[in-house]
Amino acid sequence: MNLRAVQAIYMNEMQRFFRTILQSFVSPVISTSLYFVVFGAAIGSRIETVEGVSYGAFIVPGLIMLSVIMQSISNASFGIYFPKFTGTVFELLSAPINFLEIVIGFVGAAATKALFIGMVILGTASVFIDLTILHPVAMVLFLVLTCLAFALLGFIIGIWAKNFEQLQLVPLLVVTPLVFLGGSFYSTDMLPPVWQTITHFNPVFYLISGFRWAFFGVADVAVGWSLLAVAVFFTICLGLVARIFQTGWRIRD
Amino acid sequence: MAAILEIRDLRKVYDGGFEALKGVTLDIEEGEILALLGPNGAGKTTLISTLCGITEPTSGTATVAGYDIKTQYREARKLIGLVPQEINLEPFSYVETNLHFSRGIFGKPRDNAKVEDVLRKLALWEKRANRVRELSGGMKRRVLIGKALAHEPRVLFLDEPTAGVDVGLRKEMWDVVAELKEQGVTIILTTHYIEEAEAMADRVAVIRGGEILMVEKTADLMRRLGCKELTVELREPLAEIPAPLSDYDLELAADGLSLTYRYDTQADRTGIAGLMRAFSEAGIILRDLHTSQSSLEEIFVGLVEGEGEAQ
Ligand SMILES: Nc1ncnc2c1ncn2[C@@H]1O[C@H](COP(=O)(O)OP(=O)(O)O)[C@@H](O)[C@H]1O
Ligand SMILES: [Mg+2]
């Protein structure tokens, strides 16, 4: 294992993040505050509680998941797409490193940044409302797994993308709807039965449900299913990435 | 001297079915400068990319200091530095950071002194804290060289180091290369300028259409390059070259009806006048005569004509 290479890639990716640390910090704080003003105050005043949890608190896990998923994808996809775009990818291909080391470097950095932003949102939310986290270990586990799984997905998108439009396409057309329809801001009990069934095919639904369980002990599905869903999703992404590097798809002629 | 790079029957067929390398076999000796000379589209970049791991070879093998580039890619690649043809740099990155990064991904521990040394040698030390996009074209290329040297490779590939570079910078680049050779780095550079190969290389490998046409010491190649052939057709066949002509470098055809004389077009005296006198002294009657360029010359005419074609 060329650990120095992993470290070099990881630090190189993180440096871009550090350079814009203020921006990275301020924007989730502002957007989270806005969500609380709009959803928590405006809508929450009519809904009161969902499954025994105040609406303001209820949306926190979904809010964190939403940001963390989008951040993981965009960080990782941009991270690997950029060297392809500038041509600097030649150096990665000619270095004494293997695919796993490249993935750990890029995906690790992307996940770290997303995790940081997830934490900032959590911190901001706790300013607005009283939050008690029932299962903190499970909460962190879900968060880390989600960051890693979606950073992997982002990595795949970044390798696949041939231009900036394609880079935006998947997050916009696939991931955003999945996240919003995955119960970020509502309990699926509130939906008509047909939609409840459809929701069960949405992998993000399991994530959010499990994550919410870690906070409040209530969930749409048993937490075991949620864990399984993240694990399966993670494995599929890992398998895809491994396959990409075996075949050199879109990176090596 | 021992070969540091051994290329054996290396073939590359691109996905579209185009055969860019048609079985390249080549040995490169430790410490030498070898120029890969060929027109655009000859396969120079493909050959280098294949050796460096950017392109997958279709068949064949290559070793660097005995390490196979596929099965022992880690050992092999640690010994190689690559300066690509294009200016592939992240515009917003910093000069010095770039070199530290390159060292890191090649598995070397951070070494500020070493990076400083490389930057100074390339006259980039003053620019270490600048962003890449603030540099001139020549400086960017030197940053690329710096990145390639940051992990102290034993073999350096320079793909068209002076393409698109003005005359002053070209000379500067030649000096950089000469200094690297001093330090014992083996250098393989590609070019489509004969003068560049002549100025820098110890040996020249001529490549065209994915094939190595010849590999020669630069001096020998240049000597042969300036040669022309004078063919003299005779009325009466000769059994052997007569004595008055023995001083000349002549070749008698098998049928005895023609003589070929090879001479240097650049020399002060081509010897043609003297040869003609010698013919009449020997009483040989000429029927016709014509001159032609050597086959090597034809290759280079082709080289020049090949320029400007799509890559
Ligand atoms: N990725 C590729 N796919 C298909 N053909 C390619 C590719 N890269 C290069 N070629 C072709 O291979 C030939 C050799 O190209 P290259 O190695 O770049 O030549 P050179 O560097 O000598 O100019 C050219 O005809 C070029 O069109
Ligand atoms: Mg080329």
Side-chain angles (χ1 to χ4, degrees), chain A residues 1-2 4-5 8-9 12 15-16 19 82 86-88 90-98 101 252-253, chain B residues 12 14 52-56 73-74 77-78 82 84 88-91 97 101-102 104-109 147:
Chain A
M1 190 90 166
N2 185 347
R4 288 207 185 91
I9 295 172
N12 198 50
Q15 253 152 22
R16 201 172 350 198
R19 279 206 291 271
F82 201 53
T86 57
T88 52
F90 87 88
E91 201 179 18
L92 293 173
L93 297 177
S94 64
I97 48 180
N98 67 15
E101 290 149 6
R252 202 169 249 139
D253 289 321
Chain B
K12 174 62 187 181
Y14 279 112
C52 294
I54 295 165
T55 302
E56 281 283 308
Y73 70 95
R74 283 192 201 264
R77 289 185 197 169
K78 273 185 184 157
L82 167 64
N88 294 325
L89 287 168
E90 198 186 308
T97 317
F101 176 72
S102 298
I105 62 170
F106 276 80
K108 288 274 165 96
K147 280 168 77 70

Side-chain angles (χ1 to χ4, degrees), chain B residues 44-45 85 159-160 311:
Chain B
K44 302 183 295 292
T45 300
Q85 184 172 352
D159 200 356
E160 312 247 354
Q311 296 213 353

